[in-house]
Amino acid sequence: MLRNGRLAQLLRQRSLRAVIGVERNIGLIVCLWSMALAALILTKLDMSQVSLSWHNMVLHGLIVLSPAIGITLAARCFPQGTLLALPEVVLARVGRWRRVDPLTAQRHASFGAHGLMAGLTIGLLLNVLMRTGEFVMAVPALAGEGPPWARVLFVSFALDCVVFNVLYAAAFIMAVRHVPWFPRMLLLIWGMDIVAQLLIAQWLSSVALPHQVAPALSMLLTGNIQKTLISMALWLPYLLLSERVNVTYRRRIRA
């Protein structure tokens, strides 16, 4: 029992250091990420040897800057150390909980975005990394200058990448700054993500896709929906039932 307790304490401390370290250095991380991504995109464009239109260049620029935009907007909206009001309407009604004041919640042993919450919060940033990587690797740089179906494909996936990079990056800031709206925001993002894939599929169905492109595109969109559903299945019970989440974001403890 003593060994298990020490192991749990060690894991808790490491997760706490990881979250604090990422939060403190998020500006540097985003800066390095943007520089590396910009270099990768410029190299890819140079290898394609195609002159890009202004809207194509703007979309690539937004993809590079989207994480910084999301983090900056969230940081401005939710300053560090600000005590924010709880939502008036309670949606999470699973379990028996007792409301506590903010000071009591902050003194609680489970308060904070560490433990399993560290995996969720850092996973939000990894989602940005994976989404951008998929776009850069899967969508040709010259797609925006190609036939109509290629332009539609490029614009739809570029906008998808920009919007959800902004949202997931903003959700990270909300999580580490203990914003009460974080669980609802994350659920909203998941729902929007699924709807976005369906809208992209509908949008692309209106253009004549080559036979070799349609099956691969269908697999990609289906895979994106499946990944979101898996994330919801894994984390939604935790967001509803975890004492850490309830203490940190809903200011309530088990009754």
Side-chain angles (χ1 to χ4, degrees), residues 75-227:
R76 293 289 182 88
C77 292
F78 310 109
Q80 182 74 40
T82 302
L83 182 62
L84 300 169
L86 293 171
E88 294 183 2
V89 179
V90 178
L91 298 181
R93 299 179 180 273
V94 181
R96 300 180 61 184
W97 305 94
R98 176 170 59 87
R99 183 65 57 84
V100 295
D101 62 86
L103 292 179
T104 301
Q106 291 177 12
R107 288 195 297 263
H108 196 278
S110 296
F111 183 86
H114 46 269
L116 283 179
M117 269 301 300
L120 176 57
T121 52
I122 295 176
L124 295 173
L125 294 182
L126 293 178
N127 196 308
V128 173
L129 174 65
M130 293 175 59
R131 200 179 205 98
T132 307
E134 288 177 354
F135 173 82
V136 173
M137 300 301 296
V139 180
L142 50 78
E145 311 298 331
W149 69 265
R151 291 197 296 270
V152 171
L153 183 146
F154 174 81
V155 171
S156 59
F157 277 100
L159 291 176
D160 175 83
C161 185
V162 170
V163 169
F164 286 99
N165 279 359
V166 170
L167 291 176
Y168 280 113
F172 168 80
I173 294 297
M174 294 177 69
V176 297
R177 295 193 174 180
H178 313 143
V179 177
W181 291 87
F182 165 71
R184 300 185 185 198
M185 179 65 174
L186 186 55
L187 182 60
L188 176 63
I189 294 173
W190 282 334
M192 291 174 60
D193 206 344
I194 293 174
V195 172
Q197 307 311 305
L198 297 175
L199 289 176
I200 291 174
Q202 184 177 11
W203 193 10
L204 291 173
S205 66
S206 63
V207 297
L209 292 173
H211 295 297
Q212 64 272 25
V213 173
L217 183 61
S218 176
M219 290 180 59
L220 176 62
L221 294 174
T222 302
N224 289 342
I225 293 176
Q226 289 175 343
K227 285 186 290 186

